[in-house]
Amino acid sequence: MLTLITLEFRKLLGSRSAQLALLISFFLPLLWAVAPRLGLLLGNMAVVSGWQMPAVSIGVAVQFMIPLFIAVVVAEMIGTEVSQGTLAPLLLRPVSRNHVMFSKLLVALSFPFLLIAATVIGSLLVGIPRGFGMFGGGTGMGPGLFVGVGTLTSGAAFAEVLRGSLLAAVMLVPVAALSLLCGVLFLNTASAALATLAILNIMRLLVVFPQALQRVLLTNYLALYTQQGNLTQALILLLIYTVGFSAMALIAFDRRDI
């Protein structure tokens, strides 16, 4: 099993799509270093600390760009192997289909963490000129968002960024599970990626429905990294989505004629 997981990680990191996604996630925050109208993005607020840059970058990328990267790269984990004819020979080996799929699933669910990590590292590099000392305001990931609730120390700012980054990755994990499910159902990278994005966009359009329905929509939690207070209900819902999509992917792969 460990061998399969290692193999899938090598495939993922060797994929040009994954490499491009990670590079863009890392280098895109560098635009903020030369962006003359960055304050408009934040409602005419001045960015006074490097600790605020991760929230800016994640806030811009998480609504479309990062889900797009996840949809394409994860779908490719199935679609590329089918098109190249390498998946069928793998299934002929004395390894169960469930083990093959489970290894792909673990790697797919880890991809959002890699993308968020690349985004945060790039953002912190951009924030070096602004410094990482004590400042008045917020990181954009804690109480009061960028306004904050007073003076924030470096340690408290780091804790807010770490917490917000982990939540940003966690809220994207169901998207990876959904993309893998679509990959199994369609066995084609383009079709699976389009289906994943279509489902997410349809969920966004359901904002016109009653509030009770909106509370269970996955897209309603794509700003989880900024939320404060008790997150138990949100995390349970994201877990249900992840487990549900993952279970359906495992069942579908076991019954799929490759």
Side-chain angles (χ1 to χ4, degrees), residues 230-243:
N230 189 356
L231 300 175
T232 302
Q233 181 178 346
L235 293 175
I236 290 176
L237 183 63
L238 291 175
L239 179 62
I240 291 173
Y241 269 113
T242 302
V243 172

Side-chain angles (χ1 to χ4, degrees), residues 30-46:
L30 300 182
L31 291 175
W32 308 134
V34 294
R37 304 180 67 189
L38 178 59
L40 293 178
L41 185 65
L42 306 177
N44 290 322
M45 284 188 55

Side-chain angles (χ1 to χ4, degrees), residues 20-254:
L20 183 61
L22 290 169
L23 284 173
I24 293 176
S25 297
F26 176 79
F27 284 109
L28 187 62
L30 300 182
L31 291 175
W32 308 134
V34 294
R37 304 180 67 189
L38 178 59
L40 293 178
L41 185 65
L42 306 177
N44 290 322
M45 284 188 55
V47 178
V48 297
S49 172
W51 293 117
Q52 296 173 313
M53 299 311 300
V56 175
S57 299
I58 291 175
V60 171
V62 81
Q63 293 302 317
F64 180 76
M65 190 180 74
I66 293 182
L68 172 63
F69 289 158
I70 293 172
V72 172
V73 173
V74 174
E76 199 175 60
M77 294 176 66
I78 299 291
T80 298
E81 289 203 47
V82 171
S83 63
Q84 294 179 349
T86 58
L87 185 58
L90 177 63
L91 298 179
L92 294 176
R93 297 182 180 182
V95 179
S96 72
R97 284 192 170 212
N98 285 337
H99 285 175
V100 172
M101 191 58 187
F102 192 69
S103 64
K104 290 182 179 294
L105 180 62
L106 287 179
V107 174
L109 299 185
S110 71
F111 190 56
F113 289 90
L114 296 179
L115 288 174
I116 292 296
T119 302
V120 171
I121 292 172
S123 302
L124 292 176
L125 289 176
V126 172
I128 290 176
R130 292 181 171 88
F132 297 101
M134 184 181 298
F135 68 101
T139 62
M141 296 183 175
L145 299 179
F146 291 104
V147 175
V149 292
T151 302
L152 201 62
T153 64
S154 298
F158 173 75
E160 286 188 5
V161 170
L162 180 61
R163 171 187 177 276
S165 300
L166 289 173
L167 287 175
V170 167
M171 72 190 189
L172 291 166
V173 166
V175 178
L178 172 61
S179 182
L180 194 66
L181 170 61
C182 291
V184 174
L185 295 177
F186 292 98
L187 300 179
N188 178 274
T189 300
S191 299
L194 287 173
T196 302
L197 295 175
I199 291 171
L200 293 177
N201 284 324
I202 289 172
M203 286 186 179
R204 286 192 177 100
L205 293 175
L206 294 180
V207 294
V208 297
F209 283 79
Q211 187 67 29
L213 175 62
Q214 294 180 39
R215 283 198 294 266
V216 299
L217 294 176
L218 173 59
T219 49
N220 195 44
Y221 296 92
L222 291 183
L224 185 68
Y225 66 99
T226 65
Q227 295 182 19
Q228 308 302 311
N230 189 356
L231 300 175
T232 302
Q233 181 178 346
L235 293 175
I236 290 176
L237 183 63
L238 291 175
L239 179 62
I240 291 173
Y241 269 113
T242 302
V243 172
F245 290 145
S246 300
M248 286 189 285
L250 287 168
I251 294 172
F253 188 74
D254 187 53

